[in-house]
Amino acid sequence: MADDRDRIRAALADSYAIDREIGRGGMATVYLAEDLKHGRRVAIKVLHPDIAASLGRERFLREIEIVANLRHRGILPLYDSGEADGLLYYVMPFVEGPSLRDRLDKEKQLPVEEALRITSEIAAALDEAHEHGVVHRDIKPANVLFEGDQPLIADFGVATALEEAGGEKLTRTGVAVGTPSYMSPEQAAGGEADARSDEYALACVLYEMLGGTPPFTGPTPQAVMARHALDPVPDLGTVRPTAPEGVVAAVEKAMAKVPADRYPTAGAFAEALAKGEERRRRPAARRRTLEYAIGALIVVAAGAAYLLSNRSAATDAEPRRLAVLPFDITEAALPDTVLALELFIEVADRLRESGAQTLSSRAVRHYRNPDTAFDEVREDLSPDVVFLTRLEGRGDSLYVAAELVDAGTRVSLDATSVIVPVAALAEVVPRLVAWASRALQLSDATPGYEADPEARRLFARARTAWWNWEQVTADSLIEKALGIDPEYPEALGLSALLTLQWTHDNEHPRPCDLNAAWVPVAKLTAERALELDSALVRPRVVLGHAMWEHELDWAGAEEAFVSALRIDPDHPDANLLYGTYLMTAGRMEAAWEHMVRASSANLREWGYQGTVHLMAQQVGQLEHSEEMLREAQIRMGEESLATELLIKNLRDQGRLDEAIQLLLETGGDTVAAPLDDDPYWAIARGNHEAVDRHIAKRLEDGSSHRAAYVAYADGRYDLTMQYLEEWWPVELECPSRRSAWLLANFPELVDRPRFQEMMDVAGIPWRESEVWAEWSP
């Protein structure tokens, strides 16, 4: 802010000449200045006043002094620190070279040799600091600067100083010490960070240098930190096949969940990378402390009698909804833990191919706690039968116990056990499927495509990566699967979807000609999948999506969506996309019905939670979506995307006091991040001056379309129309999927002739819409 700049300029005038602000973060503002005594350019970091107020001045400056004594060519030194007019600051050299963040934003992935060199240099600097008892706590690409080829770690020990000086006070400001994408599990949990925490973060940075994205991503900081604590390390060898096996293994070891399982020092990690010869290891399965119930292996007499007595009735009745839960893996040393964790998906897929009405694995995959999974899935998703499986290691063998349980009566319907050699893990699936098919009377169904086992394994991993928003990983895996089995219909369907989704990268928009080329490729791949298996749903959804948003073929898109839903009326993605299509066509009531059907079984999914909120705004169902988001919050916990969306929901309903109270209860900091920094909060609070600034900023950025969104939300429809008129010629030069959303995003403009012309160009059937019906005479 200008006031802060003037304040610090006046306070430091005797020593430094402040030039300009060059950066601003969650804890500090950075100014370029001249050191008047030494005649050199420096960077001065000034802590934000609310952060400084939460720290003890003497303790902070004492910790900074310790850090200032570090000397290493890979550590950006601290020149000075102090207090000026109540503001805490520290001074560093000004480095003109780019940061590693800048390089990755530009290059995405670095050559293997270069990434390893940078990592080795950083590791050496870390070892030097660790030997002096200083832990960085916030290793990330933005804190690695380059002076020529030499990487320099910036802010070394500043996070330590902040944490040591501020303690719980700092936490209460809402500013976390560390960055979720690179934060070790122990640090995220509030535990003590040590040298191995920096090693973990460095491994995450190397993963991004090689793989193009951090190892774990998600829609909220809490979601990312949870994935660090719970999920296996995504396979780096898959996203970067040229990475040596030893490098992949070293990264996985350095990212072990337990610090004791990592390398003892960052230097030892660098040595392992240099050798590149260590045998590849995969993370061990998470240990479960359940006592193994031998009774689950016995067919309960009453359950068997129940099953037999109901077989004839089940043949004529509606098929029972089956929830195949994730395997409970107990004390098993597995050659492929990731595969074992995903076996339940393959069981569900094959049973679906055999005629079972299995619930979406995407909806079921979150129910992993064996103590609570049965009751939770029973309450949340209302299945008729639950498929439970336990996998236990016994020497060189795997012992698998499976049970079908009636969800309503809790009666065991049937049970079995399978023993296979550890090396024959893949044999478990066909044996369980054959048993369950007999028990559920599915033997008359047409068998599905028998994919190559390795291709099926890669496909399962690709699908899981896609569910986890890891599109680069998913794309690489599915390419490998099709390289092994090019006629695998389901893999072709997912490949088509991934191809189409590359055109939806809002952060890195694709060139017009590239988008125009990818959409036909996605359609051809989907059509090939349907030639091989006409019963697949996903390729039909891809075709509908491509025709609707990219080709503006509304009639063809609706035919594709409806044909998908005829095959599987409950398919979540088909309902989601068809519901969105109906919303953009102005058929709001039907759109919401499909949205509810898509989301009710998937409220643990970030994407569905977000879409519930988005569509509720468009179709006038904020109160209904509030109920759904509260249910999602119960399932996922308060620190989840559902809570963030619930806050926005209450805000958009005009219940500002409730929204702000919930924001503060969940750790929001309206001082460090003022509400009106968000245009929609500014609108809700009636701060028209702030709204004008947001509109001006979007126009400065060359986005009249985004400016139109803000003006429309503020009720300034003439101004909205003006911005849309400015945007429209650009849109016609390179049509984008935004054209299809005109009616959904700006329904109050539907009676304007020029807006109607735009909708006609986009092919929107607005004359048949509920929106137009409200306006027409």
Side-chain angles (χ1 to χ4, degrees):
M1 301 291 183
D3 291 345
D4 291 340
R5 183 170 63 250
D6 293 341
R7 182 178 168 189
I8 194 70
R9 177 180 285 131
L12 297 178
D14 291 341
S15 302
Y16 301 100
I18 305 294
D19 183 0
R20 66 182 188 277
E21 179 181 320
I22 56 175
R24 178 179 292 267
M27 294 189 292
T29 301
V30 189
Y31 298 99
L32 175 63
E34 182 182 356
D35 181 342
L36 298 177
K37 180 177 181 180
H38 300 97
R40 60 190 177 187
R41 292 203 296 174
V42 295
I44 301 178
K45 278 202 171 186
V46 182
L47 299 187
H48 295 324
D50 52 314
I51 299 294
S54 70
L55 303 178
R57 172 186 174 278
E58 292 78 10
R59 182 70 181 275
F60 173 75
L61 295 177
R62 185 164 65 250
E63 295 294 337
I64 285 289
E65 185 177 352
I66 294 172
V67 174
N69 290 321
L70 291 176
R71 293 290 183 270
H72 189 275
R73 67 172 189 165
I75 297 176
L76 189 69
L78 291 179
Y79 285 160
D80 189 13
S81 62
E83 179 189 17
D85 192 18
L87 298 173
L88 296 176
Y89 70 91
Y90 49 97
V91 183
M92 306 169 295
F94 174 68
V95 178
E96 295 193 54
S99 69
L100 180 55
R101 176 77 278 144
D102 296 330
R103 287 191 61 177
L104 290 175
D105 286 344
K106 182 179 180 180
E107 301 175 45
K108 199 70 173 176
Q109 294 171 295
L110 301 186
V112 173
E113 296 78 7
E114 174 70 354
L116 295 180
R117 182 190 70 81
I118 292 170
T119 303
S120 177
E121 296 276 6
I122 295 172
L126 287 174
D127 273 356
E128 174 69 19
H130 294 160
E131 287 178 7
H132 288 81
V134 179
V135 179
H136 191 287
R137 284 183 168 86
D138 196 17
I139 293 293
K140 58 184 177 182
N143 276 337
V144 177
L145 308 178
F146 285 94
E147 194 166 56
D149 291 335
Q150 175 63 47
L152 300 168
I153 306 177
D155 280 356
F156 211 116
V158 172
T160 300
L162 288 169
E163 190 169 85
E164 293 293 332
E168 293 182 0
K169 291 181 182 179
L170 183 63
T171 303
R172 286 198 295 269
T173 67
V175 177
V177 179
T179 303
S181 292
Y182 314 94
M183 192 182 292
S184 66
E186 66 272 13
Q187 196 173 349
E192 184 173 350
D194 62 15
R196 295 166 299 182
S197 304
D198 283 349
E199 176 193 324
Y200 183 99
L202 178 57
C204 293
V205 171
L206 174 58
Y207 189 107
E208 183 174 1
M209 285 193 281
L210 295 175
T213 62
F216 298 111
T217 57
T220 66
Q222 294 85 359
V224 175
M225 289 188 287
R227 296 196 61 204
H228 277 285
L230 298 174
D231 287 4
V233 180
D235 192 343
L236 177 58
T238 297
V239 296
R240 190 65 179 271
T242 55
E245 286 285 305
V247 169
V248 175
V251 170
E252 290 181 351
K253 181 176 175 67
M255 289 183 64
K257 306 299 181 191
V258 179
D261 292 335
R262 300 172 199 154
Y263 293 99
T265 65
F269 171 40
E271 289 176 11
L273 292 171
K275 291 177 181 177
E277 295 173 352
E278 184 176 340
R279 180 177 62 86
R280 185 172 185 168
R281 299 189 183 95
R282 295 196 178 275
R286 281 171 279 174
R287 302 276 177 173
R288 307 283 180 87
T289 57
L290 280 183
E291 179 181 353
Y292 186 73
I294 193 68
L297 304 179
I298 303 171
V299 179
V300 179
Y306 176 90
L307 178 68
L308 293 169
S309 66
N310 282 277
R311 277 183 174 171
S312 60
T315 303
D316 298 327
E318 287 292 320
R320 287 175 293 175
R321 288 159 48 87
L322 176 67
V324 182
L325 296 192
F327 285 20
D328 169 21
I329 302 174
T330 306
E331 299 296 328
L334 300 169
D336 194 334
T337 302
V338 176
L339 173 61
L341 291 171
E342 295 174 349
L343 285 178
F344 83 98
I345 302 176
E346 189 168 353
V347 170
D349 285 351
R350 293 203 181 190
L351 286 172
R352 186 181 299 111
E353 292 168 0
S354 298
Q357 188 180 339
T358 56
L359 298 181
S360 163
S361 299
R362 185 172 186 175
V364 172
R365 69 193 179 113
H366 299 282
Y367 298 89
R368 289 189 177 274
N369 186 334
D371 288 324
T372 60
F374 181 90
D375 289 332
E376 288 178 348
V377 79
R378 180 173 175 261
E379 180 179 351
D380 293 347
L381 305 183
S382 303
D384 299 308
V385 180
V386 179
F387 192 138
L388 301 170
T389 314
R390 296 183 179 90
L391 186 154
E392 181 182 6
R394 295 186 178 180
D396 295 332
S397 297
L398 293 174
Y399 194 79
V400 183
E403 188 176 14
L404 291 166
V405 181
D406 183 275
T409 64
R410 298 177 183 269
V411 170
S412 176
L413 303 179
D414 204 351
T416 191
S417 60
V418 173
I419 301 176
V420 299
V422 170
L425 184 62
E427 291 182 14
V428 170
V429 171
R431 293 174 66 173
L432 290 181
V433 170
W435 161 73
S437 296
R438 290 192 299 271
L440 296 169
Q441 293 286 284
L442 304 174
S443 56
D444 294 336
T446 303
Y449 177 78
E450 280 296 326
D452 177 273
E454 177 65 10
R456 184 179 279 274
R457 181 182 72 86
L458 290 166
F459 167 74
R461 289 186 171 182
R463 180 173 49 190
T464 300
W466 170 58
W467 288 346
N468 289 336
W469 302 42
E470 296 166 358
Q471 185 161 344
V472 174
T473 302
D475 202 52
S476 176
L477 286 163
I478 209 66
E479 184 178 348
K480 285 187 174 183
L482 289 171
I484 295 170
D485 190 345
E487 300 292 280
Y488 186 0
E490 285 186 283
L492 285 165
L494 182 55
S495 176
L497 176 64
L498 291 167
T499 301
L500 189 64
Q501 285 189 338
W502 280 118
T503 68
H504 285 236
D505 190 341
N506 290 318
E507 188 175 349
H508 304 96
R510 310 296 174 182
C512 186
D513 56 349
L514 189 55
N515 272 358
W518 277 350
V519 172
V521 170
K523 289 183 66 179
L524 286 171
T525 307
E527 288 165 355
R528 177 57 181 154
L530 290 173
E531 288 175 8
L532 295 167
D533 187 347
S534 61
L536 291 179
V537 173
R538 185 175 289 122
R540 296 175 186 271
V541 173
V542 171
L543 290 173
H545 196 174
M547 287 187 280
W548 156 50
E549 278 200 321
H550 295 278
E551 296 177 345
L552 303 177
D553 177 1
W554 291 73
E558 182 155 22
E559 182 179 348
F561 287 135
V562 170
S563 71
L565 289 167
R566 285 198 190 102
I567 295 171
D568 185 354
D570 294 316
H571 194 282
D573 294 333
N575 277 289
L576 173 68
L577 266 297
Y578 186 44
T580 311
Y581 163 92
L582 290 169
M583 178 185 69
T584 56
R587 292 149 63 184
M588 302 305 188
E589 186 174 340
W592 186 246
E593 288 177 4
H594 283 278
M595 187 66 245
V596 171
R597 183 179 294 180
S599 300
S600 58
N602 290 278
L603 283 177
R604 289 176 180 261
E605 286 288 328
W606 308 323
Y608 285 95
Q609 293 170 19
T611 309
V612 162
H613 175 68
L614 172 65
M615 286 192 66
Q617 290 177 308
Q618 314 286 43
V619 305
Q621 290 284 354
L622 284 171
E623 291 184 5
H624 191 170
S625 70
E626 178 190 347
E627 297 173 10
M628 298 176 72
L629 290 170
R630 289 191 185 279
E631 176 64 24
Q633 185 189 34
I634 291 170
R635 298 186 193 181
M636 300 298 292
E638 290 187 356
E639 292 187 355
S640 66
L641 178 62
T643 301
E644 295 184 22
L645 294 171
L646 181 57
I647 292 168
K648 293 179 180 179
N649 178 288
L650 295 171
R651 177 198 68 194
D652 295 343
Q653 288 189 58
R655 294 154 61 183
L656 296 188
D657 290 343
E658 292 177 64
I660 294 172
Q661 180 62 32
L662 182 57
L663 175 66
L664 296 174
E665 288 174 359
T666 52
D669 181 9
T670 59
V671 176
L675 290 174
D676 292 343
D677 283 354
D678 180 307
Y680 300 102
W681 271 109
I683 290 168
R685 286 155 52 87
N687 187 341
H688 298 297
E689 182 180 345
V691 175
D692 288 340
R693 288 199 301 271
H694 286 294
I695 291 175
K697 179 64 169 62
R698 283 153 177 76
L699 293 175
E700 282 176 23
D701 293 340
S703 181
S704 52
H705 188 258
R706 292 177 62 216
Y709 281 134
V710 179
Y712 182 83
D714 200 34
R716 294 188 248 179
Y717 301 144
D718 289 340
L719 197 59
T720 303
M721 200 66 221
Q722 175 186 326
Y723 296 147
L724 288 178
E725 290 273 17
E726 294 172 6
W727 160 74
W728 192 244
V730 178
E731 174 68 7
L732 293 180
E733 289 180 11
C734 181
S736 74
R737 55 196 173 89
R738 289 194 295 253
S739 296
W741 284 72
L742 280 168
L743 180 58
N745 287 335
F746 309 104
E748 295 289 335
L749 306 182
V750 71
D751 63 330
R752 300 185 178 223
R754 177 57 177 148
F755 189 73
Q756 292 173 3
E757 291 176 17
M758 293 180 182
M759 290 192 293
D760 284 337
V761 171
I764 300 173
W766 57 272
R767 294 172 183 83
E768 293 81 44
S769 73
E770 294 170 23
V771 176
W772 174 243
E774 294 178 5
W775 281 99
S776 58

